[in-house]
Amino acid sequence: MKKILVTGGAGFLGSHLCKKLLNEGHEVIAVDNFYTGNKDNILGLLENPRFELMRHDITFPLYLEVNEIYNLACPASPIHYQHDPVQTTKTSVHGAINMLGLSKRTNAKILQASTSEVYGDPTAHPQKEDYWGNVNPIGIRSCYDEGKRCAETLFFDYWRQHQVRIKVARIFNTYGPHMHPKDGRVVSNFIVQAIKGESLTIYGDGTQTRSFCYVDDLIDGLVKLMNSNDDITGPINLGNPNEFSMLELANLAIELTGSKSDILFRSLPEDDPKQRQPDIDLAKKVLNWVPKVELRDGLKQTIEYFKKVIN
Ligand code: NAD
Ligand code: UDP
Ligand code: UDP
């Protein structure tokens, strides 16, 4: 049994991760400041004696004794991370320094939830880990993209300078139950709009693409990465390479909810990446990981969840 810290443990991904780690028999400490997280996500875990919940902001130091750290704390949807962009950068940068300091002192292995956003609006397609990205350093997405890039820098410097055992996962768009119904991400927006019979809002002409990974697959990948040998540091892409346009996604959401909603075209936000698809050869090779859930099946599960929470 390991003692594992999950920062952002009350969020979408964090709550699923805590559940999986508890099911594997570990002791789990979830740290969250509830900026975007929600106690409902972890309601089923609170009575477990191996689970502990701490309200804490990781931009401040934290002293605990743990064996592993999953650093997931950070708002992830554009609406939320742009609401207080300075705090977003502080969470990525000061948060990483504190968690790496904790890791250095306790010799805990530490995994960073990085993102495909480090590739920005990519000029290489699909994106491989050795692509350095095309990121605007001063735009409205920069607090998130550059914060995450700086966090990766810190991880690799703590590894080179202090031999901290690091794992960096570059997570591509992930969806599933526990997504915040109002976080503005495309999957939650389309499903909620379709269930309510409202128009689905496509930004731009809907030809931009994303590749969507179901949450269970992603969590499986994160745990496999954490459990890999110490020489596997990443960065390593985790995502589902099946690529869809936003128009295709909208039509699928309408079909699977049986909705009568129509589609409304809105203007495209600044710096919105035109295409995104992970190259996951590295994850296949070193982690023996491939995502298994098809978009259609994952969307059905997500629709069931949203039907329960928004009614
Ligand atoms: P989320 O917003 O649901 O979860 C983030 C959690 O972190 C929330 O519970 C929030 O309250 C907490 N948090 C934010 N700032 C904090 C702080 N300073 N101190 C303590 N807690 C704080 O988002 P998510 O989708 O679960 O994302 C989790 C991680 O995965 C994030 O780091 C995100 O950047 C990364 N990621 C997610 C996706 C995705 O598609 N979901 C894609 C790429 C990367
Ligand atoms: N830190 C922490 N918990 C720990 C150890 C360190 O939060 O258990 C914080 C500490 O406040 C420091 C940061 O992590 O600001 C970086 O730690 P490091 O040891 O690298 O730096 P130093 O303390 O030498 O500045
Ligand atoms: N998007 C959309 N309608 C919405 C929300 C988002 O067309 O209601 C688009 C958005 O412009 C982007 C894509 O869907 O091109 C994915 O957006 P999301 O915020 O989910 O993720 P990210 O842009 O961070 O990959």
Side-chain angles (χ1 to χ4, degrees):
M1 184 174 74
K2 290 180 282 200
K3 196 180 256 194
I4 304 176
L5 169 64
V6 177
T7 76
F12 162 46
L13 297 181
S15 57
H16 287 275
L17 177 62
C18 288
K19 187 171 176 192
K20 183 176 171 82
L21 296 171
L22 286 168
N23 285 344
E24 288 180 353
H26 303 296
E27 221 173 280
V28 176
I29 305 174
V31 159
D32 208 296
N33 68 350
F34 295 103
Y35 181 59
T36 52
N38 189 331
K39 275 198 190 142
D40 287 344
N41 288 341
I42 45 169
L43 265 190
L45 313 182
L46 290 170
E47 61 266 26
N48 189 322
R50 286 182 282 104
F51 183 70
E52 200 177 326
L53 174 65
M54 244 182 110
R55 181 184 285 266
H56 174 80
D57 183 324
I58 62 157
T59 61
F60 296 98
L62 177 65
Y63 286 81
L64 294 169
E65 307 309 314
V66 290
N67 309 111
E68 288 179 356
I69 304 168
Y70 288 85
N71 188 36
L72 270 57
C74 185
S77 79
I79 288 184
H80 287 139
Y81 71 64
Q82 288 164 12
H83 175 70
D84 186 350
V86 172
Q87 170 69 10
T88 300
T89 305
K90 281 185 188 170
T91 294
S92 279
V93 177
H94 293 186
I97 292 173
N98 287 329
M99 291 308 104
L100 285 160
L102 172 58
S103 198
K104 179 180 135 198
R105 184 181 59 75
T106 58
N107 194 31
K109 254 199 272 189
I110 181 165
L111 181 147
Q112 168 68 356
S114 189
T115 167
S116 53
E117 296 283 336
V118 300
Y119 302 123
D121 190 1
T123 52
H125 194 75
Q127 293 81 53
K128 276 175 110 61
E129 289 84 350
D130 59 4
Y131 174 56
W132 288 356
N134 177 34
V135 178
N136 176 357
I138 56 166
I140 57 171
R141 292 176 86 103
S142 313
C143 58
Y144 185 72
D145 300 8
E146 296 290 18
K148 289 285 187 178
R149 285 169 69 95
C150 183
E152 286 200 9
T153 308
L154 285 161
F155 268 69
F156 279 86
D157 282 333
Y158 268 80
W159 172 67
R160 278 184 287 261
Q161 199 176 331
H162 299 301
Q163 292 74 51
V164 167
R165 294 180 295 154
I166 62 157
K167 310 276 179 191
V168 176
R170 289 186 180 151
I171 302 170
F172 284 64
N173 298 64
T174 302
Y175 69 98
H178 297 186
M179 285 184 97
H180 196 298
K182 293 194 178 144
D183 75 359
R185 282 188 265 196
V186 71
V187 173
S188 41
N189 269 10
F190 285 178
I191 292 179
V192 171
Q193 290 162 342
I195 292 173
K196 290 185 170 171
E198 296 168 357
S199 301
L200 272 65
T201 50
I202 289 191
Y203 304 158
D205 61 7
T207 56
Q208 74 270 34
T209 66
R210 295 292 187 273
S211 309
F212 298 101
C213 187
Y214 189 62
V215 60
D216 290 357
D217 282 333
L218 194 275
I219 298 300
D220 183 44
L222 288 182
V223 173
K224 280 205 161 109
L225 176 58
M226 180 62 104
N227 292 340
S228 62
N229 291 337
D230 286 353
D231 60 327
I232 314 279
T233 57
I236 191 158
N237 290 340
L238 292 178
N240 190 321
N242 293 335
E243 190 180 0
F244 293 85
S245 71
M246 294 312 104
L247 207 50
E248 286 173 310
L249 181 71
N251 285 322
L252 202 51
I254 289 172
E255 180 201 321
L256 296 175
T257 48
S259 171
K260 296 199 167 37
S261 293
D262 59 358
I263 289 174
L264 197 70
F265 290 90
R266 295 250 189 94
S267 55
L268 193 67
E270 195 181 306
D271 291 337
D272 198 273
K274 283 179 274 309
Q275 52 181 7
R276 188 181 291 144
Q277 183 191 33
D279 179 315
I280 58 163
D281 284 354
L282 187 61
K284 280 185 194 161
K285 195 167 123 209
V286 303
L287 305 179
N288 195 21
W289 175 84
V290 273
K292 299 190 182 86
V293 181
E294 295 296 337
L295 182 61
R296 184 173 273 279
D297 298 326
L299 284 179
K300 283 185 197 159
Q301 309 262 6
T302 313
I303 288 166
E304 286 315 303
Y305 169 76
F306 277 119
K307 276 186 180 162
K308 273 187 245 148
V309 296
I310 62 173
N311 286 329

